[in-house]
Amino acid sequence: MSDAIGVAILGLGNVGSEVARIIESSASDLAARIGAPLEIRGIGVRRVADDRGVPVDLLTDDIDALVSRDDVDIVVELMGPVEPARRGILGALNAGKSVVTANKALLAQSAGELAEAAEKARVDLYFEAAVAGAIPVIRPLTQSLAGDSVIRVSGIVNGTTNYILSAMDNTGAGYDTALAEAGELGYAEADPTADVEGYDAAAKAAILASIAFHTRVSAEDVYREGITKISADDFDSARALQCTIKLLSICERLTDTDGTQRVSARVYPALVPLTHPLASVNGAFNAVFVEAEAAGELMFYGQGAGGAPTASAVLGDLVMAARNRVQGGRGPRASRYAKLPIAPIGLIPTRYYVRMRVADKPGVLATVAAEFSKREVSIATVRQEGEVDETGARLVVLTHKATDAALSETVAALADLDVVLGVASVIRLEGTQE
Amino acid sequence: MSDAIGVAILGLGNVGSEVARIIESSASDLAARIGAPLEIRGIGVRRVADDRGVPVDLLTDDIDALVSRDDVDIVVELMGPVEPARRGILGALNAGKSVVTANKALLAQSAGELAEAAEKARVDLYFEAAVAGAIPVIRPLTQSLAGDSVIRVSGIVNGTTNYILSAMDNTGAGYDTALAEAGELGYAEADPTADVEGYDAAAKAAILASIAFHTRVSAEDVYREGITKISADDFDSARALQCTIKLLSICERLTDTDGTQRVSARVYPALVPLTHPLASVNGAFNAVFVEAEAAGELMFYGQGAGGAPTASAVLGDLVMAARNRVQGGRGPRASRYAKLPIAPIGLIPTRYYVRMRVADKPGVLATVAAEFSKREVSIATVRQEGEVDETGARLVVLTHKATDAALSETVAALADLDVVLGVASVIRLEGTQE
């Protein structure tokens, strides 16, 4: 057995407390797996007090001093916001410590800077917990699929929005009701913006796209739509189409006709056929669906949030980083060699569901269809749903694949037609073969 | 970029050909990910000929010489049977080469011997492709969950039997019909024994149990029942119980009342509730469901067999082994420190479905129930299914958890009762909460 590996933990919230607890309660197992015991040398917190559930002499509010202590080998960052986490991590890396972090917002913004510092210091920077909590996603993409070519990653990676959408699907509730219920049950925060507007999912999409396609993708490269406009009517239509609606983080490698490759990273609510494995991922569960050239379709499913599941992912990284300290060697470093350009959303081909209110008179369908056809948006099916009344008829069009640009122009043109009383909803359809 | 990494491939079947093809077609991507190009130095085959799809000068039938060549750094073993694979791998490890293998039968028999040789030579021994083809399972268990405690692993890891059982469920066909169809479509071999009797699933269970519980488990430690006795009637009952039937490889850590821990590894067909994620894994797909203390429930899903998916897993291992050669360092070694004893099947508590033919007269139910109760097997539900006729009535009993020993005694006693005309089927029920 080698000398103890010194660990500093930054942050003592849900996840930090659980990590500290497991390091103590599983000490002998962890030591056997690493080849050396783990020892917590200090825990960085804002408030040093003796009611924090850990020995008070472990606590410190001097993060800078903690991360550069000689007896610290690995720093586990679980503080959350971008700052002071960034400063703490850079301090640790520059002092030659390996780093484990769950900070998706920071990684989606500063992955390049952190990777460079890790590379310079020749230490590990692990972040399995940053995407989809306990579900192994980063390691399968960077290691298991290291010899394959990933085509597309489609993830349900935000538990709050998945809880809300699942509730809307199950109960027929509207968005506001489902959001309120999620808040009461602790699945949505008081200010739910980061979740419901897709910012959290976009940060994770940036991380997934970066590692899947060996290209630096940051949160601002990700196209983003939230779920706030999804209505009970949309779920009615979805059911009629044998679909549900999920907020997807999609990362895709697109090849132009001239062979140019681009990366698309985008977040939006989408219709998903009930037969697709992602459709049955409900409530606060997360899943990541991967399509690769040789492997075909893979899915990783599990709990995407919560103290214990996130701690599991953090501890996996911690054990690997500690093993590397004991045995020599490092895990795979950031790989960004492909440097693919980012595809703008206008170029992205997807299928669309367009729901509109139209006047109930002859020739309407032909007029509507002409607007699609003019912009080479091919229609797969048209359905009239529900009753016709004095406010007209509800028309639902499902298209074949069209670019976002062509579809947007079509929708604008439809809205200008006299016979179209209003375009109520435009949602993409994902997970079908064509 | 470092000097080329020399690769020897043993075996040129479906998987070997695909691996050789991808090494050539993805050469620049693989080199960028590794930091050095891969070069195939030789391919070991039984038949050296110029019609094998690779340059004939790469081929050799002298495996011993190939695996010890100075210009070979990594040996990829894809020959299949235990011998000559074992000899080839040991030769390679003893010569200081890292080894990647997909050979589950060999690993389930000789993992200890191979791990020791790898340890002595301080090289990597990777085998992601040995269980569940392209699905990352070994790496998540050994690395992502390295800081967690696995409680149970339940896998659908044999595509042939899953194809047959899915077909029986979908079409109502009997076992023989479904097997014949699977054979015609290439999903079952001419001699299907290894698949339908559960030997293949047992080898994979041994590998999974070994890594999940840090304990050496070999194929002979695995309790095994095949699917040949499953009938269309069983599927009728399963549907009535809102279940399907799957061949499961289950690895479980059991804690006795005195705190003693044991490992159970077992393979049998089991009823699985339709609401369980494993129930919707159909056809030739594989999935591994993991329950861990901190992570909770995880599932890994994908293609469990086939040339390209298996090649994907092999190449992931190859890239990791090559990176380690370039950067220094090794992947995690075999961890068997826990050395838990194997629990005999008699001790294993599960729920049971027992279907029997009983005489149609008063008091039968009480007589039958008494036999269960005498052995402390608690009954959850009793149903009479179908019509009563001159051959009696069909009675289906679903128990709460009972040990295999208690249930076996109960079934033997039931068979001796005058009112029981025959016990038609005994199948375990897995995947329920209690």
Side-chain angles (χ1 to χ4, degrees), chain A residues 15 33 67 69 99 224 227 290 306 349 362 366 387 419 425-426 429:
Chain A
V15 182
R33 295 175 195 174
V67 301
R69 270 172 62 163
V99 169
R224 181 188 49 73
I227 65 163
V290 178
E387 301 297 305
V419 295
S425 190
V426 179
L429 168 65

Side-chain angles (χ1 to χ4, degrees), chain B residues 182-266:
Chain B
E184 277 162 33
L185 293 171
Y187 289 116
E189 295 185 41
D191 176 359
T193 310
D195 294 315
V196 300
E197 295 292 358
Y199 290 99
D200 174 79
K204 291 165 179 168
I207 298 170
L208 289 173
S210 298
I211 58 173
F213 303 120
H214 305 273
T215 289
R216 192 156 293 156
V217 179
S218 63
E220 63 207 27
D221 297 321
V222 181
Y223 175 81
R224 182 189 48 74
E225 287 176 24
I227 64 164
T228 56
K229 290 180 195 155
I230 300 296
S231 66
D233 283 350
D234 292 327
F235 273 101
D236 284 344
S237 298
R239 272 184 290 271
L241 295 164
Q242 302 279 308
C243 286
T244 184
I245 300 173
K246 296 291 185 190
L247 182 70
L248 299 183
S249 294
I250 299 177
C251 311
E252 196 172 8
R253 179 163 48 85
L254 299 161
T255 308
D256 289 357
T257 42
D258 69 352
T260 313
Q261 297 210 322
R262 296 173 200 260
V263 167
S264 160
R266 51 197 204 262

Side-chain angles (χ1 to χ4, degrees), chain A residues 242-253:
Chain A
Q242 303 280 309
C243 286
T244 185
I245 300 174
K246 295 291 184 190
L247 182 69
L248 299 182
S249 294
I250 300 176
C251 312
E252 195 172 11
R253 180 163 47 85

Side-chain angles (χ1 to χ4, degrees), chain A residues 22 29-30 32-33 128 134-136 139-140 142-148 214 277 285 294-303 308-309 312 315-316 319-320 323 327-333 337, chain B residues 22 29-30 32-33 128 134-136 139-140 142-148 214 277 285 294-303 308-309 312 315-316 319-320 323 327-333 337:
Chain A
I22 297 175
D29 272 326
L30 296 176
R33 295 175 195 174
E128 183 65 71
I135 313 171
R139 198 164 269 112
T142 52
Q143 300 190 27
S144 307
L145 291 169
D148 206 333
H214 306 273
F285 274 84
E297 297 179 349
L298 299 169
M299 192 169 83
F300 308 96
Y301 165 92
Q303 295 189 58
S312 172
L315 282 157
V319 167
M320 294 313 297
R323 271 186 192 161
Q327 303 177 9
R330 291 167 63 200
R333 56 206 60 179
Y337 72 87
Chain B
I22 296 175
D29 273 325
L30 296 176
R33 295 174 196 174
E128 182 65 71
I135 312 172
R139 198 164 268 114
T142 52
Q143 301 191 26
S144 307
L145 290 168
D148 206 333
H214 305 273
F285 275 84
E297 298 180 347
L298 299 169
M299 192 170 83
F300 308 96
Y301 165 93
Q303 294 188 58
S312 171
L315 282 158
V319 167
M320 294 313 297
R323 270 186 192 162
Q327 302 177 8
R330 290 167 61 200
R333 55 205 63 177
Y337 72 89

Side-chain angles (χ1 to χ4, degrees), chain B residues 156-178:
Chain B
I156 297 173
V157 292
N158 180 272
T160 302
T161 49
N162 202 46
Y163 181 88
I164 292 171
L165 294 174
S166 298
M168 290 176 73
D169 199 8
N170 292 336
T171 65
Y175 170 76
D176 291 329
T177 311

Side-chain angles (χ1 to χ4, degrees), chain B residues 103-125:
Chain B
N103 197 324
K104 66 224 162 203
L106 173 60
L107 286 162
Q109 178 199 294
S110 307
E113 182 186 26
L114 304 184
E116 232 164 75
E119 193 52 40
K120 206 166 143 205
R122 303 191 57 77
V123 295
D124 287 323
L125 170 65

Side-chain angles (χ1 to χ4, degrees), chain A residues 258-311:
Chain A
D258 68 353
T260 312
Q261 296 211 323
R262 298 173 200 257
V263 167
S264 160
R266 51 197 203 261
V267 171
Y268 45 65
L271 293 160
V272 176
L274 294 176
T275 51
H276 193 284
L278 286 173
S280 46
V281 176
N282 287 319
F285 274 84
N286 278 196
V288 177
F289 190 81
V290 178
E291 296 159 77
E293 278 176 18
E297 297 179 349
L298 299 169
M299 192 169 83
F300 308 96
Y301 165 92
Q303 295 189 58
T310 309

